[in-house]
Amino acid sequence: MEHIRTTKVEQVKLLDRFSSSNKALTGTLYLTATHLLFIDFHQKETWILHHHIASVEKLALTTSGCPLVIQCKNFRTVHFIVPRERDCHDIYNSLLQLSKQAKYEDLYAFSYNPKQNDSERLRGWQLIDLAEEYQRMGVPNSNWQLSDANRDYKICETYPKELYVPRIASKPIIVGSSKFRSKGRFPVLSYYHQSKEAAICRCSQPLSGFSARCLEDEHLLQAISKANPANHYMYVVDTRPRLNAMANRAAGKGYENEDNYSNIRFQFVGIENIHVMRSSLQRLLEVSGTRGLSVGDLYSGLQSSGWLRHVQAVLGAAVVLAKAVTTESASVLVHCSDGWDRTSQVCSLGSLLLDPYYRTVRGFMVLIEKDWISFGHKFSERCGHLDGDPKEVSPVFTQFLECVWHLTEQFPQAFEFNEAFLLQIHEHIHSCQFGNFIGNCQKEREELKLKEKTYSLWPFLLEDRVKYLNPLYQPQAQEFAVLEPNTVSFNFKFWRNMYHQFDRTLHPRQSVFNIIANMNEQNKQLENDIKDLESQIKQCKNKQADGVLTKELLNSVRPESPTLKTSLCFKEQTLLPGNDALRTIDSSNPADNRYSEYAEEFSKPDPAVVSLEYGVARMTC
Amino acid sequence: MEFSELIRTGQAQAELLRGPEAPPLRGTLCVTGHHLLLSPGPQATPDLWLLLLRSVDSIEKRVAGDCGTITLRCKDLRVLQLDIEGVEATLNIARSIEGLRLGDAWHFHPPERYYKRVAREVLLRSSQPLIGPQKRRCAEDEALLRAVLAGSRPGARGFIVDTRSAQTAKQARMTGGGTEAKAAYPGWKRLHRPLERGRPLQESFVHLVEACGDLEQSMDHWLSRLAGCRWLAHVKEALSTACLAAQGMEREGACILVHGAEGTDSTLVVTSLAQLILDPSSRTMAGFQELVEREWIQAGHPFQLRCAHSAFSHARPKHEAPTFLLFLDCVWQLGRQFPLSLEFGEGMLLALFDHAYASPFGTFLCNSEQERCLCEVRTRTHSLWSGLNQLKEQRKLRNPLYVPNPLALWPSVEPQSLRLWQGLFLRWTRPPEPSEAAWEKVWQIVTDQEKTEGSQPTVSASELQL
């Protein structure tokens, strides 16, 4: 609270980001300990969590006031104009302080209270149980076992305690291998494909330099290979571009030498590093955030940012994994440099392609818990939760969500969840409202006592499950058992609903999903009604046959006369989508769109010839 | 007719390759006056494969040894390969296809002014006024436009949306055309919104189709080709000009006159889209057919000239331009942004595209009403609309989610809101999409609903027996 000097500023203007006519909403700006709140004169509220703020910028003073531009991590951009410079300065300074916390304990999650008692909180944390998940996959079994080698985080600080390794890999082999791997992240099981008996394993790069070897590491890889009875060779997938991997050799790191490891097939898949991804997305957002953008600019911006190329590469790598497992029954070992960014992306996407369970609401939570949270994706650093090194921030997880979104676009019936679910998860990796994504690894999370001091996100998402369901989901469809996405270039599109999720004017005006979901609900209800009525009729008939049909019974049926009831509920429900549609269209008024600037042309008095030329120039620009 | 002269070899054994997704087809190939037939042997499926010869855009033949290959690129952007036994047969069949696919070309006349009344504001279209270098005036024309304003609400203003740039409009005076002088038309104000037409539009289409045919290209290459072909930019311009015209009527209560040079191309894109935006009745199945009939066919869009070749033709384009396709693409964009408000679906737009370029029906024949009368099209051919309105076609053409929407549809024209129409441009290159299966599911949900709704009489009937 000590950072807040001004809590309320009146007569603040909120500018529309894409309107060139400088349309503005006037309202009051409030600053609270956790949120920035703007209430416009329609009483519409815009809440911005301090943790979501990526940057605050104070622009040069104008005649109407002092502009304040806030960029958020959830891709919201707001442009306020504060009448007095003093107020603007106060808010600017407060936001600078409030958006960057120095300690974990100052994050929102540690003060957020959803009014649950301790046992509810604990149950929330126990909702996703990874031991259960490994059991579902079919481990431990005769080839794979749970290792207690990392019980006290002794071998690897950034790994979880419970790790699954080949049964024939002894502890000395594990310890030896971990010493030969960057950050001690030795090869462990990420996903086990029960029917193919093939495994997806993950690790970090070997410390091979130009010629170093490690027998234990070689043994461990062989053990993974042997744990798969169906196939005598395994793939080792280095997710980095070849050049980067070679450069790492000079620093004593590098990649596996095929000559030293028996029966491995080594390959690079060429995904760029976190720094490239960060600037790529930055460039993309710069382009797509430009006012008065032309079609050509958008596509050349998409191209020059390289973002879709990177997304294609990540998804392509996942396809390589899935293919190796399904067509060759081969196990795959995946690594990048440290094995927590690209490796997490590729392993989780690979499992998503292979296993329909991960495409359910609950399964997707499990997948994130397993391949991202427990295996130590550095959420706090990548999302910039604390004031730290900006070079550690990178949209790796966002990119993963985008890959999943592309899959949902290609396979609209294969996923139980919809786009809103992905957007909501993205919202919360940055919000720090729940404890799940705080910290960089399990050890750190335990030290922070997150399970005692914060709440888990998942039960809250499950509570709202209905909102996140895909009405077209076909859980039983055989053709979606293993997804084989087509990664040709034209299947990749700009994800408008992510990067412009708050720019309502750019969105489709009506939603198909909502209406289908409504219809589905309606159908279910109607079917139930029919069943009810039919059973009632049956009862009546039986009673009639028994000769006990009395007037009262008839009366008891009448009020629920099927025609009346179904037509009633039908009427009510057909109205609903209609209303919905109307509401959405209402918001689509021509003034929201950019062609509205021509309206000014309409309303201008007939100009002289010279200014008409000016008008023409404006119209064509 | 002299069809028989063009057909030297009527039959041959052949194999048909229809792209990576469909299985190849073997059988007897047959050339008739209008069609190419492939009948698989009696042991195979009884399905007959049929191709309208007019839909062939370009043809390529190659011979090697004692068999030959003909590659047919169709106007609906399909690419087919025929492997034919016998060199002579191949050459003869290729020649027949070449000879038979071409239709006659007719001459074309600029149309007069047409009117379309919507409430008290009117949307008019016309060709350019014939001002010429001498800056001629025409009292009748001026009186006409004055009368339009007088007939509207008092104080109403008029806007002339010229679909050419001010520069081009001025230059048109050299060839006898031009644009309305301000002084001569009081109450009317001119706005220039240049839309691409003619050869640049055709080239844009050709480049886009080329880009869509390349499955192996890198992301960078694809995106730069997509930007370079400028197709989506044309879509954006067309849509926003239509919105401008519609907005002028709805918001300003103004009368709008749209014209370019001849009033038979970009003018029609603008007026027909503006009606779709404003008028709910034009968004129904029947209303849309009426719109196409009125605003395109009767308005004299020269379909024969514009659709003589599609994107594959090697011939230097003369009069070809995918103006109608541009309109269909804009309608598709509108349908994507308002998925519940159009009664027809993507299938309808695809069917119109296919039939505009090659059709067994007479609807899109000729370049104007006058020609159609001369050729007795109405008595000698069948109408596409009766073909489309058959019951069995409905599932393909209709939008299952249609809910009548009384309001105007204001689409977003930001580049982020526009998408490449994959259903058209990638129809034959991509594998059948799981999303099509998803539409099946949507249909199923909708029909389920109708069924459950329909099951109530049986229940009440049995109740009545009680």
Side-chain angles (χ1 to χ4, degrees):
Chain A
M1 280 313 255
E2 71 272 24
H3 303 304
I4 301 178
R5 228 180 281 161
T6 309
T7 54
K8 180 178 172 186
V9 187
E10 280 172 346
Q11 291 297 312
V12 173
K13 286 201 189 102
L14 174 63
L15 295 190
D16 187 306
R17 183 175 174 203
F18 286 104
S19 153
S20 48
S21 54
N22 283 349
K23 220 160 31 93
L25 284 171
T26 311
T28 309
L29 194 64
Y30 298 90
L31 193 59
T32 75
T34 54
H35 289 84
L36 183 68
L37 169 63
F38 179 76
I39 304 182
D40 66 22
F41 62 93
H42 299 304
Q43 297 304 313
K44 208 183 129 250
E45 297 172 3
T46 307
W47 291 82
I48 296 169
L49 191 63
H50 295 328
H51 294 317
H52 271 145
I53 295 174
S55 74
V56 199
E57 216 182 330
K58 216 173 67 169
L59 304 183
L61 194 66
T62 66
T63 46
S64 51
C66 190
L68 190 69
V69 179
I70 300 173
Q71 309 259 8
C72 298
K73 292 171 183 170
N74 53 7
F75 309 115
R76 187 201 283 271
T77 301
V78 283
H79 195 148
F80 290 117
I81 294 196
V82 184
R84 289 197 313 161
E85 197 190 1
R86 223 194 116 74
D87 292 334
C88 185
H89 190 74
D90 282 350
I91 289 180
Y92 171 75
N93 277 336
S94 304
L95 288 180
L96 275 189
Q97 301 290 333
L98 292 165
S99 63
K100 288 268 182 256
Q101 303 295 349
K103 307 198 296 288
Y104 281 119
E105 284 74 11
D106 293 334
L107 293 176
Y108 185 30
F110 291 90
S111 59
Y112 174 65
N113 182 4
K115 310 230 164 22
Q116 282 190 345
N117 60 33
D118 284 353
S119 70
E120 279 171 314
R121 183 208 306 251
L122 189 65
R123 243 180 293 138
W125 279 112
Q126 287 164 343
L127 194 70
I128 305 290
D129 179 4
L130 287 185
E132 213 172 81
E133 166 58 13
Y134 283 102
Q135 239 164 37
R136 189 195 65 87
M137 287 184 214
V139 287
N141 58 23
S142 55
N143 291 319
W144 293 87
Q145 67 174 1
L146 177 65
S147 158
D148 61 353
N150 200 34
R151 203 175 35 210
D152 308 312
Y153 301 108
K154 279 237 175 75
I155 300 181
C156 175
E157 288 200 335
T158 56
Y159 265 170
K161 282 180 193 166
E162 281 87 28
L163 291 168
Y164 291 82
V165 293
R167 203 167 274 279
I168 53 171
S170 63
K171 196 164 176 186
I173 286 184
I174 292 173
V175 174
S177 166
S178 78
K179 289 191 175 131
F180 187 62
R181 293 275 169 181
S182 177
K183 306 282 195 302
R185 293 168 69 91
F186 59 96
V188 294
L189 183 76
S190 161
Y191 176 71
Y192 183 72
H193 195 285
Q194 215 164 354
S195 60
K196 301 274 183 195
E197 298 180 278
I200 294 179
C201 298
R202 53 186 293 169
C203 60
S204 60
Q205 63 183 338
L207 304 175
S208 54
F210 289 101
S211 58
R213 294 181 59 165
C214 168
L215 286 178
E216 290 92 340
D217 194 60
E218 288 160 25
H219 279 306
L220 186 53
L221 259 66
Q222 194 155 26
I224 293 174
S225 203
K226 277 190 182 149
N228 179 350
N231 210 320
H232 67 282
Y233 60 86
M234 70 183 282
Y235 283 96
V236 176
V237 174
D238 190 328
T239 56
R240 298 168 293 181
R242 179 189 295 272
L243 264 180
N244 298 21
M246 305 246 265
N248 263 304
R249 276 169 44 178
K253 298 163 187 172
Y255 53 93
E256 290 82 357
N257 183 344
E258 257 178 306
D259 300 336
N260 297 341
Y261 294 83
S262 49
N263 298 323
I264 68 161
R265 297 187 179 179
F266 184 85
Q267 97 182 76
F268 291 106
V269 289
I271 304 172
E272 298 287 350
N273 65 23
I274 58 165
H275 311 293
V276 174
M277 298 304 183
R278 180 180 54 242
S279 44
S280 168
L281 186 58
Q282 234 159 29
R283 168 91 188 99
L284 178 70
L285 294 174
E286 263 166 41
V287 170
S288 73
T290 316
R291 236 189 231 179
L293 184 69
S294 78
V295 175
D297 290 345
L298 175 67
Y299 284 97
S300 44
L302 270 176
Q303 181 203 345
S304 67
S305 75
W307 181 253
L308 288 180
R309 192 181 68 225
H310 299 317
V311 171
Q312 186 184 32
V314 174
L315 206 52
V319 171
V320 168
L321 245 65
K323 267 207 187 119
V325 172
T326 49
T327 61
E328 297 176 56
S329 302
S331 293
V332 190
L333 175 66
V334 184
H335 70 74
C336 48
S337 296
D338 289 323
W340 49 44
D341 293 309
R342 289 166 273 199
T343 304
S344 296
Q345 286 180 326
V346 174
C347 286
S348 54
L349 285 169
S351 323
L352 194 73
L353 294 179
L354 289 168
D355 196 333
Y357 173 67
Y358 295 129
R359 295 175 225 137
T360 62
V361 168
R362 202 192 171 88
F364 194 63
M365 297 172 178
V366 170
L367 186 68
I368 292 174
E369 278 284 343
K370 173 171 72 82
D371 272 314
W372 292 87
I373 297 174
S374 93
F375 277 118
H377 173 68
K378 303 201 285 178
F379 274 105
S380 272
E381 291 202 345
R382 296 292 178 260
C383 301
H385 290 162
L386 299 180
D387 198 7
D389 185 358
K391 284 226 165 71
E392 285 291 326
V393 176
S394 184
V396 177
F397 190 76
T398 309
Q399 195 170 48
F400 159 73
L401 290 179
E402 179 162 341
C403 290
V404 177
W405 174 75
H406 273 109
L407 290 174
T408 64
E409 284 282 290
Q410 260 195 60
F411 302 97
Q413 295 182 279
F415 289 82
E416 190 189 18
F417 51 84
N418 59 19
E419 192 180 42
F421 186 59
L422 299 177
L423 294 180
Q424 191 65 11
I425 292 174
H426 184 261
E427 183 85 2
H428 285 295
I429 60 166
H430 294 112
S431 73
C432 302
Q433 187 175 355
F434 298 95
N436 306 59
F437 303 108
I438 292 174
N440 293 311
C441 59
Q442 294 296 57
K443 181 170 180 250
E444 198 174 3
R445 290 190 188 99
E446 277 178 23
E447 285 163 5
L448 287 170
K449 297 199 169 53
L450 287 175
K451 292 195 178 176
E452 291 144 55
K453 293 182 176 166
T454 71
Y455 294 86
S456 166
L457 167 67
W458 309 127
F460 293 89
L461 289 185
L462 278 181
E463 212 169 274
D464 275 347
R465 201 164 175 274
V466 183
K467 267 204 268 183
Y468 305 124
L469 290 184
N470 168 14
L472 295 177
Y473 179 49
Q474 290 265 321
Q476 308 306 336
Q478 263 312 303
E479 68 258 42
F480 304 134
V482 174
L483 299 185
E484 293 172 37
N486 188 341
T487 53
V488 293
S489 302
F490 39 64
N491 272 338
F492 293 86
K493 292 165 277 195
F494 176 67
W495 193 6
R496 183 196 53 225
N497 288 2
M498 170 64 97
Y499 304 113
H500 289 294
Q501 52 182 308
F502 295 98
D503 303 314
R504 285 276 157 218
T505 53
L506 301 187
H507 289 219
R509 313 309 207 210
Q510 295 170 322
S511 151
V512 172
F513 268 155
N514 286 351
I515 204 141
I516 298 176
N518 282 343
M519 277 191 184
N520 253 344
E521 269 309 295
Q522 210 172 312
N523 281 355
K524 260 183 226 151
Q525 204 184 326
L526 285 171
E527 266 162 36
N528 286 341
D529 284 354
I530 289 172
K531 262 184 219 145
D532 267 9
L533 290 164
E534 274 168 356
S535 69
Q536 278 187 27
I537 288 168
K538 225 185 207 163
Q539 272 178 10
C540 288
K541 272 188 180 158
N542 288 343
K543 284 185 181 154
Q544 197 180 30
D546 296 345
V548 289
L549 179 72
T550 60
K551 234 183 182 166
E552 287 143 66
L553 254 175
L554 251 181
N555 281 342
S556 75
V557 178
R558 271 283 148 69
E560 283 186 289
S561 145
T563 5
L564 190 70
K565 195 181 169 197
T566 34
S567 68
L568 247 183
C569 74
F570 188 72
K571 205 172 176 184
E572 195 176 290
Q573 280 156 343
T574 39
L575 268 180
L576 191 77
N579 278 346
D580 236 3
L582 292 188
R583 208 177 309 128
T584 24
I585 300 159
D586 255 349
S587 69
S588 124
N589 87 51
D592 287 344
N593 297 300
R594 252 220 289 155
Y595 44 79
S596 65
E597 73 197 71
Y598 310 123
E600 291 155 30
E601 291 299 324
F602 286 138
S603 35
K604 259 192 228 159
D606 257 359
V609 180
V610 184
S611 51
L612 180 78
E613 292 304 318
Y614 163 75
V616 170
R618 269 210 59 188
M619 283 189 308
T620 48
C621 71
Chain B
M1 270 212 159
E2 71 287 7
F3 284 154
S4 52
E5 295 164 26
L6 287 165
I7 305 173
R8 294 219 189 113
T9 302
Q11 280 190 10
Q13 287 303 309
E15 186 172 43
L16 170 72
L17 303 169
R18 295 173 291 180
E21 300 307 322
L25 216 59
R26 276 195 78 76
T28 312
L29 184 73
C30 215
V31 190
T32 72
H34 293 288
H35 290 92
L36 203 59
L37 305 160
L38 187 84
S39 128
Q43 74 285 356
T45 49
D47 288 347
L48 199 69
W49 176 84
L50 196 77
L51 180 76
L52 194 66
L53 285 174
R54 283 189 67 93
S55 71
V56 174
D57 204 20
S58 83
I59 170 166
E60 232 176 75
K61 52 184 187 284
R62 241 178 322 142
V63 282
D66 57 352
C67 52
T69 300
I70 297 180
T71 307
L72 300 175
R73 287 169 211 276
C74 301
K75 290 176 182 170
D76 62 3
L77 312 181
R78 218 172 348 166
V79 181
L80 303 164
Q81 189 187 326
L82 281 164
D83 294 328
I84 299 170
E85 287 171 18
V87 173
E88 205 194 325
T90 309
L91 295 177
N92 281 340
I93 288 173
R95 201 172 305 134
S96 307
I97 298 173
E98 185 73 54
L100 290 167
R101 77 191 169 93
L102 296 171
D104 296 321
W106 284 284
H107 292 289
F108 122 83
H109 311 278
E112 322 271 305
R113 288 184 193 260
Y114 290 92
Y115 302 89
K116 157 79 185 135
R117 197 167 242 284
V118 180
R120 299 189 55 175
E121 299 80 45
V122 282
L123 176 64
L124 305 103
R125 57 182 149 71
S126 72
S127 59
Q128 61 184 345
L130 304 175
I131 307 277
Q134 280 83 39
K135 301 197 179 173
R136 285 185 298 160
R137 290 175 60 167
C138 169
E140 291 85 350
D141 196 61
E142 288 164 20
L144 186 56
L145 285 194
R146 244 193 334 270
V148 167
L149 287 190
S152 182
R153 72 176 55 136
R157 295 195 297 150
F159 289 95
I160 298 170
V161 178
D162 193 324
T163 62
R164 302 162 297 177
S165 68
Q167 185 72 22
T168 325
K170 215 178 250 173
Q171 276 167 2
R173 288 223 299 264
M174 292 304 128
T175 50
T179 189
E180 288 82 355
K182 193 190 313 297
Y185 296 87
W188 288 87
K189 194 180 155 193
R190 218 172 54 224
L191 301 168
H192 288 275
R193 299 283 286 128
L195 296 184
E196 204 59 88
R197 64 195 80 216
R199 192 178 297 167
L201 195 61
Q202 176 73 9
E203 275 164 10
S204 166
F205 176 42
V206 170
H207 288 153
L208 176 58
V209 170
E210 259 171 33
C212 289
D214 186 355
L215 288 163
E216 303 299 319
Q217 64 197 326
S218 71
M219 184 66 80
D220 285 0
H221 198 195
W222 160 246
L223 290 173
S224 78
R225 287 170 92 174
L226 199 56
C229 78
R230 297 190 35 82
W231 179 261
L232 281 170
H234 301 323
V235 169
K236 175 178 149 70
E237 285 311 312
L239 257 183
S240 49
T241 307
C243 289
L244 171 74
Q247 203 182 355
M249 296 177 72
E250 156 120 345
R251 294 260 144 166
E252 309 288 319
C255 300
I256 308 279
L257 168 65
V258 184
H259 72 71
E262 309 291 356
T264 53
D265 289 287
S266 44
T267 305
L268 305 182
V269 176
V270 175
T271 54
S272 51
L273 282 174
Q275 287 172 56
L276 214 56
I277 290 168
L278 291 178
D279 183 4
S281 67
S282 67
R283 300 175 208 141
T284 62
M285 201 71 178
F288 187 63
Q289 293 178 4
E290 205 188 297
L291 183 78
V292 172
E293 178 75 34
R294 186 183 62 230
E295 287 296 309
W296 287 88
I297 297 167
Q298 294 184 12
H301 178 65
F303 278 100
Q304 285 309 305
L305 294 173
R306 298 289 179 260
C307 303
H309 292 290
S310 163
F312 289 129
S313 172
H314 301 300
R316 212 166 138 265
K318 282 188 291 229
H319 302 292
E320 290 82 358
T323 322
F324 187 60
L325 172 61
L326 182 67
F327 161 69
L328 294 176
D329 199 333
C330 292
V331 177
W332 181 81
Q333 306 283 352
L334 206 60
R336 244 183 56 83
Q337 295 194 27
F338 296 89
L340 313 178
S341 299
L342 303 181
E343 195 183 12
F344 48 92
E346 187 179 45
M348 178 75 174
L349 302 175
L350 290 175
L352 287 178
F353 168 71
D354 292 349
H355 284 286
Y357 276 87
S359 170
F361 296 98
T363 301
F364 289 112
L365 281 182
C366 303
N367 291 309
S368 67
E369 275 305 283
Q370 195 184 15
E371 277 181 21
R372 270 184 283 272
C373 287
L374 284 174
C375 301
E376 296 166 42
V377 166
R378 287 213 168 73
T379 48
R380 292 169 56 194
T381 68
H382 292 277
S383 160
L384 170 65
W385 309 128
S386 59
L388 290 183
N389 288 335
Q390 283 171 25
L391 204 59
K392 64 176 165 62
E393 303 285 337
Q394 296 309 300
R395 198 163 173 133
K396 228 168 50 199
L397 305 176
R398 272 175 197 270
N399 173 10
L401 298 173
Y402 174 63
V403 182
N405 176 355
L407 302 174
L409 311 180
W410 299 112
S412 158
V413 294
E414 293 294 335
Q416 292 97 326
S417 310
L418 302 177
R419 278 257 173 103
L420 176 70
W421 185 7
Q422 297 211 348
L424 182 102
F425 293 106
L426 300 171
R427 180 158 45 148
W428 312 107
T429 31
R430 64 173 187 187
E433 290 255 305
S435 62
E436 277 150 31
W439 270 112
E440 264 310 301
K441 168 92 177 168
V442 172
W443 266 109
Q444 189 200 323
I445 292 170
V446 174
T447 36
D448 271 1
Q449 184 164 44
E450 281 158 11
K451 239 189 329 202
T452 40
E453 196 190 338
S455 64
Q456 69 192 49
T458 56
V459 179
S460 48
S462 47
E463 197 208 22
L464 279 178
Q465 288 170 4
L466 288 177

